[in-house]
Amino acid sequence: MERTFLAIKPDGIQRGLIGEIISRFEAKGFTLVGLKFMKVSRELAEQHYNIHREKSFFTGLVDFITSGPVIAMVWEGSGAIAAARKMIGATNPLTAEPGTIRGDLGIDIGRNIIHGSDAPETATQEISLWFKDEELISWQPSL
Ligand code: CMP
């Protein structure tokens, strides 16, 4: 069973898209194992986006992700990492396919609604960066 880290960014919260986004992952059949509504510290944002540290948009990205509350989540299921990336769509919402979260709901690359881990190694790193072990609940849907 695979786990992935997803975060609804401040634009997704401000636009009232929490329910819409969580519904998509529930309807798909993934299992929610962790969820936090939180303000992100600069330190956490810089660690999370460390790979983009040298990019021109890094400071703006950190400013944005720390500008308002986010919803950090861990979802579980077979092939969850790749499937969630597919459901989220391309980084730039303007070119993301219709039917994806970004393709249906966004137009701005700097306001692309949701983050999702891009590979098993990053999923493991991001889950441990954002969540303590005891904040994750293993459970099996019975239906
Ligand atoms: P995310 O999937 O969270 O990973 C890195 C983020 O950097 C990405 O979503 C975008 O929000 C942001 N990003 C990537 N490219 C650009 C860009 N050219 N300008 C502004 N933000 C960008």
Side-chain angles (χ1 to χ4, degrees):
M1 212 42 106
E2 199 170 72
R3 287 181 172 181
T4 191
F5 171 76
L6 305 179
I8 305 176
K9 300 183 184 184
D11 53 326
I13 309 290
Q14 284 160 15
R15 293 178 53 207
L17 297 174
I18 299 168
E20 157 90 34
I21 292 169
I22 290 180
S23 287
R24 291 188 182 214
F25 293 101
E26 284 188 310
K28 178 73 175 165
F30 292 125
T31 305
L32 182 65
V33 297
L35 183 145
K36 290 199 271 198
F37 183 57
M38 59 189 281
K39 266 307 274 297
V40 181
S41 68
R42 254 193 121 75
E43 187 189 1
L44 174 57
E46 287 178 0
Q47 279 181 279
H48 175 76
Y49 282 125
N50 191 43
I51 195 168
H52 298 299
R53 198 171 279 275
E54 304 307 324
K55 307 264 174 63
S56 59
F57 56 81
F58 179 72
T59 304
L61 182 56
V62 171
D63 287 346
F64 176 61
I65 209 78
T66 57
S67 67
V70 308
I71 289 198
M73 300 177 285
V74 178
W75 288 84
E76 185 177 86
S78 183
I81 298 167
R85 289 282 291 189
K86 208 166 182 181
M87 291 167 68
I88 289 169
T91 302
N92 187 346
L94 268 187
T95 56
E97 291 291 325
T100 65
I101 293 168
R102 289 170 176 162
D104 288 348
L105 304 173
I107 52 171
D108 182 343
I109 193 168
R111 303 284 184 272
N112 63 0
I113 308 164
I114 180 168
H115 167 86
S117 304
D118 63 3
E121 306 73 44
T122 39
T124 304
Q125 275 170 18
E126 291 172 355
I127 290 168
S128 62
L129 179 63
W130 289 74
F131 285 89
K132 297 177 187 147
D133 281 349
E134 61 268 27
E135 292 174 325
L136 300 176
I137 299 171
S138 292
W139 64 285
Q140 295 293 320
S142 56
L143 298 177

